Amino acid sequence: MDEILQEFLTESGENLDHVERDLVALEESPDSRQLMAAIFRNIHTIKGSSGFLGLSKLESVAHAGENLLSSLRDGKLALNAEITTVLLTLVDALRRMLQHLEAKGAETDEDFSALVAELKRLNNPDAAPADAAPAEKAPAAEKTEAPAKGETASATEEKGAPAASAPEKKPETSTAKPAAQPEATKSAPARQGRESAPQEPPPPPSLTTETNVRVSVGLLDKLMNLVGELVLARNQILQITGGVDDTQMVAASQRLNHVTTELQEEVMKTRLQPIGNVFTKFPRVVRDVARELGKKVRLELEGKDTELDRTILEAIKDPLTHIVRNAVDHGIELPEVRRESGKNEEGHLLMKAFHEGGQVIIEISDDGKGINAEKVKQKAIDNGLITADQAARMADRDAFQLIFHPGLSTAEKVTNISGRGVGMDVVKTNIEKIGGTVEINSELGKGTTLRIKIPLTLAIIPAIMVESGSQRFAIPQVNLQELVRLDGEEVKTSIETILGTPVYRLRGRLLPLVRLSEVLDLPERDDDQSLNIVVVQAENRHFGLVVDRVFDTQEIVVKPLGDHLKSVAAFAGATIMGDGRVALILDVIGIAEKARISSKIADVAAEDAVETRAAVSGDRRRLLVFGMGDSNRAAIDLSTVGRLEKLPRSMVEHAGNREVVQYRDDVMDLLRLEDVLGYPPTHDDDELLHVVVYTVNGKNLGLVVGRILDIVEEEVRIQGGQRGNGIIGRAVIQGRVTEMLDVDGIVRQFDPEFAGHN
Amino acid sequence: MKALVVDDSKTTRMIIGRILRECGFEIHEAGNGQEALDKLEEIGCPEIALVDWNMPEMTGIEFVKAAREDSRYDDMKIMMVTTESEVEQVQAALEAGANEYAMKPFTKDVIEEKLALLGVSVG
């Protein structure tokens, strides 16, 4: 019998590989009867053979799977994520059984009754007592937790054996798997169904151990809510006892404070799940994608125990999958190519999760070919996202971020693997939706790293409290960059106005300012003595939110807004403060949109890109207009302007053959535009030189223009008539013909030395 | 005495083959219906064919239909090898020209009994 058993093990292993692959393929083309039939046949074969071989346990587990598959194949049941997950779990279970069989020559003792029950339940959905959709969903979600707990328990008992018995035990066979996916996919309906669903689910397949108890998701949510309320009550008590002398009362409230904090943390933990639950999915994804493409990829998972709130876990699953597929598809090279470039044939993909500063960081790095910044730029230019000049100015790091631009990622070559109609822009959007950020960095030839930063939970978040127009608001910490306070004279001197928009120069970068009171139409505070700027970031936009007062950061409990307020983009939710008052949580992205920040000042590459595209199509554009010579007018795009200065002519010194001025503790070269562009000199009595300061990477170049006239925002239609280098064309601005200059081009052409610095 | 074992699982072919070999058959194997037809061309009409239901390329029932259309194989008894999940389809197989069926897993005794029913003498 040994020969047959050996054949059986080999054959079944292959069959399971096929099933696994087909199941994954089926996720993409759920209607393929062919795939379903193949899956059925493979499981069927395993069942049939194990029956002959007297492997009753294997037979019974495979049989339960076969029955479910038969219903699916015959169209009696529709495949869904839950079923797929359970079927994958089945594959894992069968594989474990085979491994045990191979190592020990006998069937495993592991208990698979929960899995079998689950397979039966899925095959018989009508047996569920409730017919109402929400009611049916909720228990389903809860039920799927049963194997989770059970598996966790069995995981420990299993650990010892496979180390010896299954040397090539892959991470995907991790027992944590059954927990994650069914639960994750079900969490949303479960939450919706919370109100109406019966709290007590039908008796689940019993697999409880002494140390684990099944708890319904609805109950956990409710607990979380209650703790939220408790936190609010605690905050109130603390506020009241803050002004009380009664030491006993103070002591008691301190104790309440500590216990509440601890309780909050612990309850939060009940909702946390190891990211490994999502990670376990990737070995399969990577292998399948790699196999399909003929690539060799080794996936390494680090920090699988890092815990995250289940809702967040669910939300990052798809973006992560896309990133992983992308990395294998576009990042890692074919084995031949890798060999030629002196790399190991087998590519390396590392997924790493860890906690940092109260947030979870997930890094996905590959040692593939990296991203060619120039190619990205070229693509962006081709797609009209940026101009050649902007591309030239753009740092590689900024160019990588362009990958997240919708205009670029949808233009990406569509392949079977990653071109699933989902671009990197969607990845970014999805991550930002849960208050996360994503950054990409790459080194050509060496690899690419994506860094995702996400909050631990969405239910309680750290936020900074601010006041504007006598009302309090909470700004989520994830959006917060820094706080700037200007006092006294600074208020007047350091705020410039470009085009009616106040801007503050924060370390050399123009930061548009938005008065919160203005956006929300609140009473303006009458105080010029100080200015509080909350520097926030959202979707690559930085701007300063001017508020009246800034308070502490607090852990706030996020409460959803009522329906009537949901349409107000400026708010993300509400919270109740210690004094019982409600504070609205600001949605920074919404505010940016409301204040039209993006159309105000584009200081980020992606924003620049949008701008330029708009400009090309004859859209509104902001320009700095200046006189050149006595009668010419010229204009440049305001986004290229670092600063405007009027410097006394006496300041001009000479260094070698260059004109320079001492400017901000540095020596700034001057470039006289009239000279280099061939305009007649301006005859002006003005003792001041009008200088446009052009800044790249912290280095300044003073462009001397005739006379600064105005900043305009106009619809500009540039006409040809190119007069020479550095001049884009002519346009009618404020009713007068004005030559449009290309500052980047001019600098490159006439001051290559400066341009070379960058 | 020849027996043709048609099953996409090599394991199953080995197992059934072993049982039949014990009954005194010379075993020929095929991995699906098409291979089985090709095999028939090669070995001529066997006493019995044990045919799996579910196979890629050409299923068991398709094979039965095709074989029954060929008068060269009129003397071949066909036994469908099924599982309990396929019993409903047994009727269809019998109508298509199969003579008997055996449910997996089976033992040597079961097969001998069925063969006797079919009038195939076992050595």
Side-chain angles (χ1 to χ4, degrees), chain A residues 436-449:
Chain A
T437 57
V438 56
E439 267 176 52
I440 188 165
N441 215 337
S442 183
E443 205 175 331
L444 195 58
K446 296 227 170 116
T448 304
T449 297

Side-chain angles (χ1 to χ4, degrees), chain A residues 171 282 286-287 290 295-302 323-324 326-335 338-339 343-352 363-370 445-450:
Chain A
F282 296 121
V286 167
R287 200 197 47 202
K295 292 179 182 180
K296 288 184 186 166
V297 183
R298 180 168 58 90
L299 175 65
E300 195 183 334
L301 299 172
E302 248 179 54
I323 290 168
V324 166
N326 234 346
V328 179
D329 189 6
H330 299 304
I332 288 167
E333 314 91 326
L334 287 164
R338 290 182 64 87
R339 203 169 350 132
K343 291 184 187 176
N344 189 333
E345 269 190 28
E346 189 181 58
H348 182 217
L349 187 62
L350 172 66
M351 295 185 79
K352 193 162 134 189
E363 281 181 359
I364 302 105
S365 358
D366 65 61
D367 66 345
K369 59 173 176 274
K446 296 227 170 116
T448 304
T449 297
L450 266 110

Side-chain angles (χ1 to χ4, degrees), chain A residues 586-599:
Chain A
L586 297 181
D587 176 353
V588 172
I589 298 173
I591 288 185
E593 274 158 16
K594 213 164 146 57
R596 296 196 192 81
I597 281 298
S598 58
S599 64

Side-chain angles (χ1 to χ4, degrees), chain A residues 1 81 187 232 246 281 304 372 414 435 506 518 534 550 554 616 629 665 700 742 750 755:
Chain A
M1 211 62 177
S187 77
L232 298 176
D246 187 339
K281 169 185 173 154
K304 281 193 267 191
N372 187 334
V414 175
L506 183 64
E518 210 171 284
V534 182
V550 174
Q554 269 185 27
V616 170
D665 300 331
N700 294 320
D742 166 15
F750 297 105

Side-chain angles (χ1 to χ4, degrees), chain A residues 675-693:
Chain A
D675 292 355
V676 297
L677 296 175
Y679 288 98
T682 302
H683 296 95
D684 207 329
D685 301 336
D686 203 340
E687 264 311 297
L688 299 172
L689 274 183
H690 291 218
V691 178
V692 174
V693 181

